[in-house]
Amino acid sequence: MLIQGQASSPRTAETVLQAHWRHLDRRQSGIKGLLLGATILSCGSVLAILGFLSYFALPIFSEGHLAEILSWEWRPFQGKFGILPMAVGSLSLAVTAMGVAYPLGLGICGFAHGLGPRCLKGPLMGLINFMTSIPTVIYGFVSVIFLVPLVRGAFPESTGYSWLTAALTLSLMILPTIVLLVHAQLQQVDARVRLASAALGFSPAQTLLWVMRPLAFRGLWAAAVLGFSRALGDTIIALMVAGNAPQVPNSLLDSIRTLTSHIALVVATDSTSQAYQSIFASGLILFGVSIAVNLTLRRLQSRAALPATGRHD
Amino acid sequence: MRNSRNGLMAIIFMLVLSLGTAPGAWAQDSQLQRFQNLEGTIDIAGGTAHIPVMKDAAEQIMKANPKIRLTVAGGGSGVGVQKVGEGLVNIGNTGRALTPAEVAKYGLKTFPFAVDGVAVAVNPKNPVGALTSQQVRDIFAGKIKNWQEVGGTSAPIHLFTRDEASGTRETFWKKLLKKGPIDAKANIVASNGAMKMALAQDPQAIGYLGIGFVDQKVKGIKLDGAEPTQENAKNGSYPVTRLLYMNTKGEPQPLVKAFIDYIKGPEGAKIIQKHGFIPTSK
């Protein structure tokens, strides 16, 4: 349109085109530079965080406290600074929250993409979108008021501040992340494939399971990684409802402490103490686990990607 | 018409009157007078129990002299030490005495200004209203597990304690538990407010919090016969008490010095009492 309109001017179409491309080029290189800058900045900050964490954790290694910190008992006033119960707490909580939220999220996506009535899709996705905008502390607060007494009422030996309560609250918090990622991916393949598979006589459930799922596998992995990372990184919900007792849980009703709440609880202590050092070790463990989960899932994803792309491309 | 003119006259009259009296009142207040020729900013952070007192005092001072700005933040005793030590704030508040290591590291100077008591508390629905120190120690050690063993109904005891950085926890642990063990299964809450909420919700719960936080929502436990009140904390019959401190890095600047003197003076004492603490000057 633009080129046609300008070609009627005295200048030839060629010069106009060249000018247009030059303009695009400049703009593109500008955008490229901007994106490169943003990439460098975000990678740099992650590296800087790792650097600072390692630097502050250095005394643990140089002063030989590593064995004490990687032990099973946290009794700071008796000189025991083990943070392994918190590592177990973090992992148990993240895994159980994912165990609840992931199937639920997939179910919601299935419901929105063919299994449920069409008229409910809009309101449902609207609700999920709204959930992302609720601050985490609100989930925690509502949970303290409603869920904690509920759990305590059902199980009198429990205080209500427990692994179970935290896992349920946390699963609600990470649900929108999972749903929105999977939903976005399903939406991308939706239009092209839905008609074709319907024309072939697939039921909505069959379409979803055998046509859309393989095509949306990237979204499924991404949702798993991000959901788990959010669950692992959450602080305020665990701090508010998990009970924070530094112990390895025996049951879902036990009070547990995550590495993140541990950092939040201990960061205000005397900064010259060994308890204070343990928070940098906690940070390093969290960082390490987060990277390990990312890499593992990425690897699984690329392995899963091979046959899938072979089939569909 | 006449009415509105009368009204206007009245307003002008009041303005003139207030103009006339305000500087006079200010000059009369000898406590606030010390800020008269000073200006600048005082940043305060740290212990959460201190906040109401600090805020109230800050308001009075800023009203009297708009050239002075005060900011008050929380964070906890540990944060107070760090921030003042690193020079991020002028005054770092703590609800505990500084450790020798902290004093040595940062060169801090400490100013105690109020006494606060720590009360053992339960839900108001709990029939238990009095305990001995030994019973409290056994309950927190996890030896006594059921309310029936201390004269209550048959129900498991739900233990609540505070985080490692809490000055309230330190006072409770040193003065009442005599540094005895706290069951590792005990739930840990991160503030006096969260403790109050947990106790107010759970009829089986027991915990401890600053006496100033005890109201009809939680029941303070009579300890060895002594009611946990500020009066009893003051006259010594209730033993679980602590001092609240302001800390500065080295000798305080004139403005900060004036603030500390104000808090420790008679005006400050009134503010301290108003918020449920006992001034050290009394």
Side-chain angles (χ1 to χ4, degrees):
Chain A
M1 268 292 263
L2 175 87
I3 296 162
Q4 267 177 0
Q6 288 182 342
S8 61
S9 70
R11 286 190 290 169
T12 65
E14 205 180 336
T15 55
V16 172
L17 258 181
Q18 273 171 353
H20 182 61
W21 281 336
R22 266 203 303 277
H23 172 69
L24 275 186
D25 251 12
R26 263 205 304 279
R27 211 162 83 179
Q28 245 172 7
S29 67
I31 291 173
K32 264 188 199 160
L34 208 67
L35 291 178
L36 184 70
T39 313
I40 290 174
L41 191 71
S42 39
C43 289
S45 342
V46 173
L47 285 179
I49 292 173
L50 183 62
F52 273 113
L53 263 180
S54 312
Y55 174 75
F56 283 115
L58 215 58
I60 300 169
F61 299 97
S62 63
E63 290 167 23
H65 295 317
L66 190 63
E68 282 170 53
I69 281 173
L70 294 182
S71 68
W72 292 100
E73 223 177 334
W74 174 260
R75 298 221 151 235
F77 304 105
Q78 289 154 34
K80 287 174 182 160
F81 299 99
I83 58 169
L84 290 184
M86 286 62 124
V88 172
S90 268
L91 282 177
S92 331
L93 186 58
V95 167
T96 41
M98 271 302 278
V100 176
Y102 199 62
L104 203 61
L106 294 188
I108 289 174
C109 284
F111 188 85
H113 285 267
L115 296 187
R118 262 179 176 277
C119 58
L120 285 182
K121 183 180 174 182
L124 184 67
M125 293 319 288
L127 179 71
I128 298 286
N129 266 314
F130 172 69
M131 280 171 76
T132 56
S133 66
I134 302 175
T136 340
V137 65
I138 304 287
Y139 284 99
F141 192 69
V142 171
S143 181
V144 167
I145 292 181
F146 291 111
L147 198 56
V148 167
L150 213 65
V151 171
R152 182 171 52 234
F155 309 98
E157 74 276 15
S158 166
T159 60
Y161 293 86
S162 63
W163 177 6
L164 177 69
T165 321
L168 291 177
T169 316
L170 202 54
S171 66
L172 213 59
M173 195 273 279
I174 59 175
L175 185 66
T177 309
I178 294 167
V179 171
L180 289 178
L181 274 169
V182 175
H183 171 68
Q185 200 74 24
L186 286 176
Q187 202 118 35
Q188 275 186 353
V189 294
D190 199 355
R192 282 182 297 153
V193 179
R194 186 183 289 278
L195 272 178
S197 86
L200 288 169
F202 281 23
S203 73
Q206 284 171 323
T207 307
L208 203 65
L209 202 58
W210 302 113
V211 181
M212 311 252 280
R213 181 186 53 86
L215 285 174
F217 74 94
R218 257 174 203 289
L220 296 183
W221 285 117
V225 173
L226 270 178
F228 187 81
S229 301
R230 277 205 79 183
L232 193 71
D234 164 76
T235 310
I236 196 75
I237 288 179
L239 190 65
M240 285 173 89
V241 302
N244 300 320
Q247 57 175 349
V248 178
N250 286 322
S251 88
L252 272 171
L253 296 172
D254 275 354
S255 163
I256 60 169
R257 185 190 290 200
T258 63
L259 287 169
T260 47
S261 354
H262 179 69
I263 293 175
L265 286 169
V266 176
V267 75
T269 52
D270 172 6
S271 63
T272 53
S273 69
Q274 203 181 335
Y276 195 75
Q277 287 183 353
S278 83
I279 68 177
F280 296 108
S282 306
L284 270 182
I285 292 179
L286 275 173
F287 207 89
V289 170
S290 194
I291 286 176
V293 167
N294 261 289
L295 289 180
T296 314
L297 285 182
R298 203 164 274 249
R299 221 183 150 137
L300 284 173
Q301 180 188 344
S302 62
R303 206 175 284 169
L306 289 176
T309 45
R311 235 185 297 149
H312 296 290
D313 282 357
Chain B
M1 190 66 187
R2 242 188 94 187
N3 264 346
S4 75
R5 184 179 290 171
N6 274 352
L8 197 68
M9 287 292 281
I11 289 171
I12 290 171
F13 180 70
M14 268 151 62
L15 271 175
V16 170
L17 203 81
S18 67
L19 275 176
T21 51
W26 188 60
Q28 274 164 16
D29 193 333
S30 60
Q31 288 307 309
L32 285 167
Q33 209 175 18
R34 69 177 95 238
F35 295 101
Q36 206 167 14
N37 298 318
L38 294 168
E39 58 183 293
T41 308
I42 308 178
D43 294 317
I44 304 169
T48 48
H50 307 55
I51 292 176
V53 174
M54 296 290 140
K55 279 208 161 142
D56 214 341
E59 239 167 65
Q60 301 296 329
I61 294 163
M62 287 193 282
K63 228 187 275 170
N65 185 351
K67 282 184 185 164
I68 299 174
R69 252 178 55 78
L70 288 113
T71 68
V72 181
S77 296
V79 170
V81 174
Q82 279 167 43
K83 282 202 165 172
V84 74
E86 302 290 349
L88 300 173
V89 296
N90 307 100
I91 297 175
N93 290 327
T94 54
R96 57 170 172 80
L98 299 174
T99 65
E102 284 169 340
V103 174
K105 185 174 175 190
Y106 295 124
L108 298 180
K109 223 171 141 7
T110 193
F111 303 90
F113 66 95
V115 182
D116 183 25
V118 177
V120 179
V122 296
N123 189 281
K125 283 189 201 143
N126 194 326
V128 176
L131 292 168
T132 65
S133 303
Q134 191 54 48
Q135 278 173 326
V136 173
R137 261 171 240 143
D138 288 347
I139 287 172
F140 275 88
K143 281 187 213 154
I144 296 178
K145 291 179 189 298
N146 198 300
W147 281 112
Q148 209 166 19
E149 295 172 59
V150 289
T153 48
S154 174
I157 294 176
H158 294 162
L159 278 181
F160 286 86
T161 180
R162 284 285 308 278
D163 53 285
E164 287 81 355
S166 159
T168 313
R169 185 205 55 75
E170 190 170 300
T171 309
F172 173 78
W173 180 63
K174 276 187 182 155
K175 296 268 174 72
L176 186 46
L177 296 190
K178 308 287 178 208
K179 301 196 179 186
I182 295 178
D183 193 354
K185 284 186 177 314
N187 283 331
I188 294 170
V189 291
S191 69
N192 272 312
M195 176 65 86
K196 188 170 164 183
M197 195 163 170
L199 298 179
Q201 274 192 346
D202 184 352
Q204 290 158 254
I206 186 167
Y208 52 87
L209 70 182
I211 285 179
F213 285 86
V214 177
D215 58 14
Q216 70 281 358
K217 282 186 186 159
V218 294
K219 183 165 77 174
I221 288 281
K222 212 188 263 185
L223 193 68
D224 300 322
E227 201 77 61
T229 59
Q230 294 293 23
E231 292 74 53
N232 286 347
K234 190 169 146 190
N235 66 30
S237 62
Y238 187 80
V240 193
T241 57
R242 62 164 167 173
L243 287 170
L244 300 182
Y245 302 83
M246 295 177 278
N247 304 287
T248 59
K249 192 176 171 105
E251 281 299 329
Q253 303 297 310
L255 178 60
V256 176
K257 176 90 170 57
F259 179 80
I260 291 171
D261 288 343
Y262 177 73
I263 291 279
K264 289 177 74 92
E267 277 287 305
K270 271 187 212 155
I271 296 173
I272 290 166
Q273 266 173 327
K274 185 176 140 198
H275 293 286
F277 305 109
I278 307 143
T280 46
S281 51
K282 288 214 165 176

